[in-house]
Amino acid sequence: MLCPCCQAGLLRADSVTMAIRRDGQLVTHVQVPAWRCRNCGEQSFADEVIEEAVAALEEHSEAGDEIVLIDEGRAAGSA
């Protein structure tokens, strides 16, 4: 499957972490399946996957918490 962003790279199965950040600390997280472009590193997610991950995290969230996406692949330079 070609990347919808760059139209040049192939998408590969990957995963990323979504987490709750509270007062600067990550307090809980879930792994989220994703597709990542081998060329540009763009990520794609199925809508239902994101909805399920956010719902799971919201069960543990408090007022003022943020739900964040942690992209280990790009942080490690392996886009």
Side-chain angles (χ1 to χ4, degrees):
M1 179 173 11
L2 280 179
C3 174
C5 183
C6 71
Q7 299 292 315
L10 294 176
L11 299 179
R12 65 177 168 89
D14 200 357
S15 67
V16 296
T17 302
M18 290 184 75
I20 292 176
R21 184 175 13 214
R22 182 178 300 144
D23 298 323
Q25 301 293 319
L26 298 179
V27 294
T28 190
H29 69 279
V30 293
Q31 288 298 115
V32 179
W35 293 98
R36 185 186 301 270
C37 176
R38 292 177 181 225
N39 183 54
C40 71
E42 182 69 20
Q43 297 170 333
S44 301
F45 307 92
D47 289 339
E48 62 272 6
V49 168
I50 295 299
E51 290 168 6
E52 290 172 14
V54 169
L57 290 171
E58 284 179 339
E59 290 179 17
H60 303 283
S61 68
E62 298 176 0
D65 287 352
E66 296 178 86
I67 294 179
V68 296
L69 181 68
I70 303 168
D71 187 352
E72 294 96 348
R74 287 200 181 160
S78 62

